Amino acid sequence: MRTRTGLIALVAALGVLAGVDGDLARAQSFYEGKTMRIIVGLAAGGGFDTYARVLARHWGRHIPGNPTIIVENMVGAGSLIAANHLYRVARPDGLIVGNFDGSLVLSQVLGQPGIEFASSTSWAPPRRKKSCAP
């Protein structure tokens, strides 16, 4: 009985590893030789910049294909310029990561002018229907 359980566990583990191997190979071939950018919406030397530079220093080793990671500061309007750049200009190809002030999402919901991204559709929780019946 014990041998049969061990054999089933081994077959299951090999099946899982076989499925993961294909995804890792695809990810490695995608990121290999490429440069990722972390766009920081605040000035160099601050907390957001330091956090991004620490990520950039270590992240590449943990991403298949070991891409080069650079930090780009895009200062202005309390990181609104960087957030709008990520929404309008940056290609959604997995090579650009944004690090901007999270209060911009609330500002967008409250209707602050100048915010071009539509966070209300992607950040809002699903609406529940009100019902009197249990």
Side-chain angles (χ1 to χ4, degrees), residues 30-31 34-37 63 67 90-97:
F30 176 77
Y31 286 109
K34 293 193 179 170
T35 301
M36 289 182 66
R37 293 185 318 159
I63 297 175
R91 291 176 38 195
D93 57 1
L95 295 174
I96 299 177
V97 177

Side-chain angles (χ1 to χ4, degrees), residues 19-44:
V20 170
D21 190 36
D23 291 338
L24 281 175
R26 258 183 274 136
Q28 183 168 2
S29 66
F30 176 77
Y31 286 109
E32 193 167 17
K34 293 193 179 170
T35 301
M36 289 182 66
R37 293 185 318 159
I38 301 175
I39 297 179
V40 180
L42 296 161

